Amino acid sequence: MEKVLIISPQKQAYDTIYDIIKPLNFSSYDYVASGNEARRKFDFTDYDLTIINTPLSDEFGSELVLDIAEKSLSAILILVKSEITEQVQDKVAITGAFVIGKPINRQVLLQSIPFALNSKQIIENLREQNKALKRKVDDTKVIERAKFSLIKYLGLDEKQAHRYIQKQAMDLRVSPRVVADNILKTYEV
């Protein structure tokens, strides 16, 4: 089901966090003490939830949040001193990470985890939609170039070129993009 990575310079803090979130029944819990160890973990494993207890032994932790958000779709909770929560939130806002002030309130941590996981899912869905839209825009550009080639080399008007591509796509049972690619291969050598 869901894998959790807890990053904390002190094993005692890991144990405390683990005891708080254990009732949520994640499938696995991993622990590392530094940002560099965490980066190596993300090279081989996808985590659903990452909890960072700052400051880490080799860095503060906000840089790690940015790296994790770039590499993965992990939901991220970063635990910082209450006095600096706003500063850290400003640094990591683009990632969707949740910043929680220390000392840790058990209830706040338990309530933040479902929100973070839901946010992760929303971000993942938005990324997929973004990819689909980019593909659609790319397809449209190629189809428009193919129409231009048909207009230029076969003397068709725009409506006829559009109809030609649509008919070829239906007849050959391929997408209009495939037809457009073939047209461009033929006319744009």
Side-chain angles (χ1 to χ4, degrees), residues 96-122:
F98 282 64
V99 180
I100 299 174
K102 293 194 290 189
I104 301 169
N105 178 319
R106 173 183 292 268
Q107 199 60 35
V108 169
L109 182 59
L110 288 173
Q111 289 173 348
S112 297
I113 290 173
F115 286 121
L117 291 171
N118 288 339
S119 295
K120 169 193 164 259
Q121 188 61 46
I122 291 168

Side-chain angles (χ1 to χ4, degrees), residues 146-178:
K147 281 191 216 176
F148 178 75
S149 291
L150 292 173
I151 291 167
K152 183 177 177 183
Y153 294 109
L154 299 182
L156 303 177
D157 64 23
E158 201 263 333
K159 195 173 187 178
Q160 291 170 326
H162 179 78
R163 175 74 181 124
Y164 177 85
I165 292 171
Q166 293 299 320
K167 184 164 181 353
Q168 287 291 311
M170 286 190 304
D171 291 348
L172 299 172
R173 296 179 188 212
V174 295
S175 70
R177 168 68 188 257
V178 172

Side-chain angles (χ1 to χ4, degrees), residues 1-154:
M1 192 182 151
E2 294 169 328
K3 297 178 184 177
V4 179
L5 176 63
I6 299 173
I7 309 160
S8 178
Q10 309 92 9
K11 180 77 164 96
Q12 180 183 358
Y14 162 78
D15 293 336
T16 302
I17 294 167
Y18 174 78
D19 288 341
I20 292 171
I21 67 172
K22 186 178 179 183
L24 297 176
N25 294 322
F26 291 105
S27 63
S28 72
Y29 301 84
D30 285 343
Y31 164 72
V32 295
S34 71
N36 285 329
E37 288 177 272
R39 286 179 182 88
R40 284 192 293 276
K41 282 278 193 186
F42 273 96
D43 288 339
F44 302 104
T45 309
D46 288 325
Y47 291 97
D48 299 291
L49 175 65
T50 304
I51 300 174
I52 303 171
N53 181 30
T54 64
L56 302 175
S57 57
D58 56 349
E59 63 183 278
F60 178 73
S62 53
E63 305 82 12
L64 178 61
V65 170
L66 298 171
D67 290 345
I68 291 171
E70 187 178 313
K71 276 187 180 181
S72 79
L73 291 174
S74 180
I76 305 168
L77 297 176
I78 182 167
L79 311 176
V80 301
K81 288 183 182 177
S82 293
E83 305 86 58
I84 61 170
T85 54
E86 285 183 32
Q87 291 172 288
V88 174
Q89 184 62 51
D90 290 343
K91 284 184 183 178
V92 301
I94 194 168
T95 65
F98 282 64
V99 180
I100 299 174
K102 293 194 290 189
I104 301 169
N105 178 319
R106 173 183 292 268
Q107 199 60 35
V108 169
L109 182 59
L110 288 173
Q111 289 173 348
S112 297
I113 290 173
F115 286 121
L117 291 171
N118 288 339
S119 295
K120 169 193 164 259
Q121 188 61 46
I122 291 168
I123 290 170
E124 188 173 337
N125 291 342
L126 289 173
R127 284 184 181 174
E128 289 303 317
Q129 288 175 359
N130 192 20
K131 284 180 189 176
L133 287 172
K134 283 181 181 179
R135 275 193 305 273
K136 200 171 191 176
V137 167
D138 288 343
D139 289 351
T140 302
K141 286 179 182 178
V142 171
I143 292 168
E144 290 300 316
R145 280 184 39 222
K147 281 191 216 176
F148 178 75
S149 291
L150 292 173
I151 291 167
K152 183 177 177 183
Y153 294 109
L154 299 182

